[in-house]
Amino acid sequence: MSRILKNRRLVEDDWRLIEDGAPVCAGEKIIVPLRRWREERSALLASAAAVGVLLPNTEDVEALWPEIADRPLIALQFPVFGDGRALSQAVVLRRRLGFGGELRALGDILRDQVFGLQRCGFDAIVPRADQDLEDCLRALAEFSVVYQPAADGLETVWQKRRSATPA
Amino acid sequence: MYRYDPYDRQLVAERVAQFRDQTRRYLEGRLTEDEFRALRLRNGLYQQRFAPMLRISVPYGLLESAQLRKMAHIVREYDKGYAHFTTRQNIQLNWPELPRVPDLLAELAEVQLHGIQACGNDTRNITCDYLAGVAADEWVDPRPYCELLRQFTALHPEFLWLPRKFKFGFSGARVDRAATRTNDVAVHVLARDDGAIGFRFFVGGGLGRQPMLGRVTNEFVPEEDLLIYAAAILRTFNRFGRRDNIHKARIKIVLKEWGYERFRAAIEDEYAKIRASGEGADLKLRPEDLERMRAHFTAPAYRPAAEVAADWSAAARREPRFAAWLKRNVRDHKVPGYRVVFVSLKAPGEPPGDCSAEQFAGLAEITARYSFGELRSTYDQNLVLADVAERDLYELWRELDRLALATPNIGLVTDLVCCPGLDFCSLANAGSIGVAREIFERFDSLEAQYEIGEIRITMSGCMNGCGHHSVGHIGILGVDKHGEEWYQVTLGGSAGHDAALGERTGRALARGEIADGVERLIRAYLEFRLDEDETFLECYRRVGLEPFKQRLYAADAAVAAAA
Ligand code: SF4
């Protein structure tokens, strides 16, 4: 089992990502690609303890919502570190659709990106294998001030200014 | 002028610390070339032909005296004694050394300057009308909205990894002085008859390969929805902008591939959805937010006209150079007794837009003394002192003249717009500074320039179009032909309220032909024009491409006839 960032801590990951058609062991928590979820839904639910789905970053999460709304975990992908499409997917899932399960970021993720990922609503981040996890954890607190309201609920500079000047 | 509060200062300080750490990790070999590239670009650092280039954001073109003084120090200490103003109203340093860049940024942060998102695939520095707040034709001062959007886009977590760079341009006046429609997004601030303020949004403009002008996606977005609408555009771009081909990654390509109706509908749909959600509630600007921001951009303490008005006609008769400067570089101001003064960065023999340490230092003093401590940069690579008392004009002229900043050529043929080209830029196909110099020399005489009148020559060293060639009255684009420098000419472009893209004339001209070619075009204009009041652009629009083309390629026809 490997360690990942979850809710601002380093934890042992108890989910297994199965990207191909490999068999599922009874009672494990698994993450499968959208396609497999669609094709084997009831079989997966019958054997696994929990089933999360992995979405390509080109999917429209709003259109998919009826199929994924009840999932305990949705994993989004960063195929290369410069590709920020899943950031918008995350924000829409959290802020528009109200997804309350685990939102997990996977892929080519650098230490320098985890702060932004957290802001967009990812509560679980799996940085690229070569990244120093302790350093990633520190990077989650790299900024103490933010301008934009986002999915992390941090108080923004604007909110602070509003409370400083009575309306 | 917007002044940082402790939060703004803290944010920039934390960004500098982050960048210092990134630079250290790179120098220690813990960040790859590619990774560091993406990270440093997001902080304004670009790898140029000979050295790194650091682009410093000048938010909507506004600078103050203390910043200019700091720039004088920076260019002496970290560069070769000069810096370059760009067509996006920013400042570029061409020779900083990477290990010292974190210190440089820390010094800049002392005067609220930084390189955050000056390069990279993110939301870039916002450009704006350089006469904001003082223009007689202004509906609404756009600067408070520029600053609101600047803060919203600074390190925005969702929009920091876009398919390509993304630019906003603002105007709140009848005349577009910021080439707004050449931006990915143009925001025109309007006031309706009932007094309500709102924004007309144009989306999908861009220079470079396949230049396009933005199209209207919404005629009137209410004031409180500024950030919501911007978020809707940015999200649409982040999701649908192409990432498979860097040359097709700008939002204009989404517009082109989808067609206008679908494109517009997608943005409007996202706008409606954000507005209806909790996200929209968070982003909606409240009256107190707007008030607080407007309070940063109040008019300076103008003196009564009786105290500051002056008539310089006698002095002008005695000194023709002063007269020329009054005529070309000084414009009317909406407040009686005050004038707008252009500081020309197009002196003979100097690369357009360059500014030396002495000039920065001098401008710091001049701005403090004559224009309420503020200076603006223009997209034509000049500077503007927006609030000069008439009384001070003569003295100001003497001081600017001493600093070689009073060349009386604003809007004339030698007021060339030009990117750094082959002299500095690693992407360049051809030199632009050398060509600019040749054109300058040909038309150096003021009589000739006045005879020619208003004309805008713009030049880029490659397709990326940093020199705005596609919206020049005469546009010149450097192209590479088998390792040689060639120049493609376009005619009839305009970046103003009558924005248009230039038309290509035909074959490219060789390095040895280009200055002659420009001269032939101008001579043709002098011959074709109805009278002195018809400008180059008006004349071109009346007679069309063909007669100009014949003159430009006259030699080709002669050769063909002889053969
Ligand atoms: S137009 Fe091309 S050559 Fe000129 S600065 Fe831009 S990228 Fe460089």
Side-chain angles (χ1 to χ4, degrees):
Chain A
M1 240 181 256
S2 58
R3 292 200 306 163
I4 67 167
L5 299 174
K6 201 157 170 173
N7 294 319
R8 297 169 166 270
R9 291 187 15 231
L10 283 178
V11 299
E12 295 296 330
D13 187 19
D14 56 354
W15 290 82
R16 185 158 76 98
L17 175 67
I18 310 179
E19 289 192 80
D20 50 17
V24 174
C25 306
E28 68 176 339
K29 292 160 87 170
I30 55 165
I31 305 169
V32 296
L34 177 65
R35 216 174 123 181
R36 188 161 180 196
W37 168 243
R38 281 175 168 161
E39 284 165 4
E40 302 174 27
R41 185 185 167 110
S42 13
L44 291 170
L45 285 173
S47 58
V51 185
V53 317
L54 173 68
L55 305 181
N57 69 2
T58 46
E59 287 290 340
D60 176 352
V61 290
E62 274 183 279
L64 280 182
W65 185 236
E67 292 178 74
I68 56 176
D70 64 348
R71 289 302 81 215
L73 180 149
I74 295 175
L76 301 176
Q77 291 174 293
F78 293 83
V80 291
F81 70 82
D83 183 344
R85 277 178 279 200
L87 298 168
S88 287
Q89 288 179 313
V91 173
V92 171
L93 278 167
R94 283 288 194 228
R95 307 227 55 205
R96 185 173 304 165
L97 301 166
F99 177 65
E102 176 175 325
L103 196 54
R104 176 175 286 220
L106 295 176
D108 191 17
I109 295 166
L110 307 180
R111 168 226 182 272
D112 301 277
Q113 297 177 303
V114 297
F115 183 81
L117 288 167
Q118 171 182 267
R119 297 222 68 215
C120 289
F122 289 101
D123 52 349
I125 301 169
V126 187
R128 198 174 66 196
D130 64 349
Q131 302 292 295
D132 176 340
L133 287 174
E134 300 287 345
D135 203 22
C136 288
L137 196 59
R138 279 192 293 277
L140 286 178
E142 208 155 44
F143 288 92
S144 67
V145 279
V146 294
Y147 285 124
Q148 309 82 7
D152 57 356
L154 280 186
E155 189 182 25
T156 66
V157 168
W158 290 351
Q159 287 163 335
K160 290 179 187 177
R161 285 177 188 150
R162 281 174 187 164
S163 41
T165 36
Chain B
M1 173 116 179
Y2 182 73
R3 305 239 170 249
Y4 277 16
D5 65 10
Y7 303 121
D8 302 305
R9 273 196 290 279
Q10 180 71 15
L11 185 96
V12 174
E14 289 175 358
R15 179 65 181 112
V16 172
Q18 185 191 41
F19 184 73
R20 194 181 288 281
D21 184 55
Q22 288 165 346
T23 307
R24 199 196 64 229
R25 279 184 281 135
Y26 168 70
L27 293 173
E28 288 170 6
R30 287 157 61 207
L31 272 173
T32 68
E33 203 60 64
D34 262 9
E35 291 162 7
F36 184 58
R37 178 174 177 277
L39 298 172
R40 65 170 159 71
L41 285 175
R42 280 165 180 73
N43 212 18
L45 194 66
Y46 203 94
Q47 191 60 44
Q48 286 284 50
R49 190 162 281 267
F50 304 108
M53 174 274 274
L54 181 71
R55 188 177 292 149
I56 301 164
S57 298
V58 180
Y60 34 95
L62 232 52
L63 285 161
E64 64 174 354
S65 186
Q67 295 174 324
L68 295 162
R69 202 165 299 123
K70 178 61 89 178
M71 281 309 303
H73 161 75
I74 295 267
V75 300
R76 278 193 196 111
E77 184 64 28
Y78 297 90
D79 208 301
K80 297 190 173 176
Y82 62 94
H84 177 78
F85 278 91
T86 76
T87 53
R88 286 199 65 75
Q89 302 174 291
N90 290 324
I91 301 175
Q92 282 177 196
L93 295 174
N94 286 309
W95 309 95
E97 290 165 33
L98 177 60
R100 296 188 70 202
V101 170
D103 290 339
L104 197 175
L105 291 170
E107 288 215 41
L108 287 174
E110 291 169 15
V111 291
Q112 64 180 61
L113 284 173
H114 58 73
I116 296 173
Q117 289 160 229
C119 307
N121 297 334
D122 47 37
T123 317
R124 300 289 188 84
N125 184 44
I126 295 165
T127 53
C128 178
D129 185 350
Y130 53 79
L131 293 187
V134 300
D137 67 343
E138 186 168 87
W139 297 304
V140 185
D141 184 349
R143 293 171 302 173
Y145 307 102
C146 293
E147 178 59 26
L148 284 162
L149 191 70
R150 182 193 75 80
Q151 295 188 14
F152 175 67
T153 53
L155 304 182
H156 194 297
E158 185 183 345
F159 306 128
L160 207 49
W161 302 92
L162 297 171
R164 196 80 175 83
K165 59 187 171 186
F166 201 79
K167 301 171 176 179
F168 285 88
F170 274 72
S171 164
R174 195 177 52 75
V175 173
D176 183 351
R177 283 172 289 262
T180 58
R181 288 179 66 203
T182 63
N183 289 277
D184 296 276
V185 180
V187 187
H188 290 187
V189 193
L190 313 167
R192 251 186 351 212
D193 290 343
D194 63 2
I197 291 175
F199 313 97
R200 180 181 294 135
F201 271 85
F202 298 78
V203 189
L207 298 174
R209 232 170 274 254
Q210 313 198 38
M212 276 170 67
L213 296 171
R215 304 269 311 262
V216 175
T217 57
N218 193 310
E219 283 288 350
F220 196 86
V221 173
E223 189 181 29
E224 65 269 22
D225 285 357
L226 172 67
L227 306 181
I228 301 181
Y229 204 82
I233 299 168
L234 282 160
R235 184 168 297 154
T236 305
F237 179 50
N238 194 36
R239 288 184 59 197
F240 300 107
R242 285 181 58 172
R243 293 178 190 257
D244 58 332
N245 179 343
I246 186 176
H247 300 307
K248 300 200 163 159
R250 297 285 292 271
I251 198 171
K252 64 189 177 186
I253 303 298
V254 181
L255 166 58
K256 201 167 162 208
E257 291 182 351
W258 283 5
Y260 172 71
E261 286 309 327
R262 179 178 164 204
F263 179 75
R264 186 179 161 277
I267 291 169
E268 287 287 308
D269 180 52
E270 185 62 30
Y271 169 47
K273 283 177 175 160
I274 299 178
R275 204 148 68 135
S277 72
E279 209 191 342
D282 282 349
L283 289 178
K284 198 177 254 320
L285 293 166
R286 299 187 192 167
E288 75 252 37
D289 301 333
L290 294 160
E291 269 323 305
R292 196 180 309 111
M293 199 50 87
R294 277 195 207 102
H296 282 280
F297 299 94
T298 48
Y302 294 119
R303 309 265 286 276
E307 283 177 35
V308 292
D311 178 3
W312 291 106
S313 42
R317 271 192 300 278
R318 281 195 307 276
E319 290 195 60
R321 292 175 61 246
F322 177 56
W325 179 79
L326 277 180
K327 180 171 170 198
R328 281 323 307 182
N329 294 19
V330 178
R331 303 286 151 88
D332 289 342
H333 194 286
K334 71 175 181 186
V335 176
Y338 284 85
R339 295 299 177 101
V340 173
V341 171
F342 283 81
V343 175
S344 172
L345 292 180
K346 317 291 173 68
E350 296 298 331
D354 273 13
C355 189
S356 70
E358 294 67 42
Q359 289 172 328
F360 273 114
L363 283 167
E365 299 312 315
I366 284 173
T367 343
R369 203 163 334 131
Y370 300 109
S371 198
F372 298 95
E374 282 184 28
L375 183 72
R376 296 141 185 246
S377 52
T378 79
Y379 84 112
D380 275 334
Q381 301 174 293
N382 289 310
L383 303 171
V384 165
L385 294 160
D387 300 290
V388 177
E390 280 175 3
R391 195 182 55 180
D392 296 333
L393 284 172
Y394 186 76
E395 221 177 286
L396 170 61
W397 170 68
R398 298 259 311 243
E399 295 197 24
L400 288 173
D401 192 40
R402 246 197 311 275
L403 291 163
L405 292 170
T407 313
N409 60 352
I410 298 300
L412 299 181
V413 64
T414 59
D415 188 6
L416 291 152
V417 173
C418 159
C419 78
L422 207 52
D423 294 272
F424 295 105
C425 179
S426 53
L427 303 172
N429 291 321
S432 39
I433 295 174
V435 176
R437 188 167 297 160
E438 264 186 57
I439 295 173
F440 204 112
E441 281 160 9
R442 273 177 208 240
F443 298 102
D444 195 16
S445 112
L446 270 184
E447 296 72 47
Q449 293 199 49
Y450 288 160
E451 170 73 13
I452 298 159
E454 292 278 339
I455 185 166
R456 191 160 178 269
I457 303 182
T458 55
M459 193 167 9
S460 306
C462 81
M463 268 295 186
N464 285 321
C466 305
H468 288 190
H469 64 275
S470 42
V471 287
H473 302 169
I474 298 179
I476 303 170
L477 163 66
V479 290
D480 174 89
K481 271 199 199 173
H482 318 295
E484 283 176 27
E485 299 169 50
W486 287 71
Y487 297 87
Q488 174 68 59
V489 175
T490 49
L491 293 176
S494 165
H497 54 294
D498 55 352
L501 299 168
E503 298 174 275
R504 278 175 63 154
T505 50
R507 72 162 181 89
L509 303 180
R511 179 68 181 81
E513 297 176 294
I514 182 66
D516 282 336
V518 170
E519 187 172 346
R520 277 200 297 279
L521 289 168
I522 288 174
R523 292 203 183 290
Y525 153 67
L526 292 174
E527 210 175 295
F528 298 159
R529 71 181 178 187
L530 294 174
D531 56 35
E532 282 177 20
D533 289 337
E534 191 179 50
T535 65
F536 182 91
L537 186 62
E538 288 161 355
C539 173
Y540 177 80
R541 286 183 173 171
R542 181 174 55 79
V543 306
L545 177 63
E546 206 43 50
F548 280 99
K549 195 168 149 180
Q550 278 174 18
R551 293 303 177 86
L552 181 60
Y553 300 112
D556 294 8
V559 171

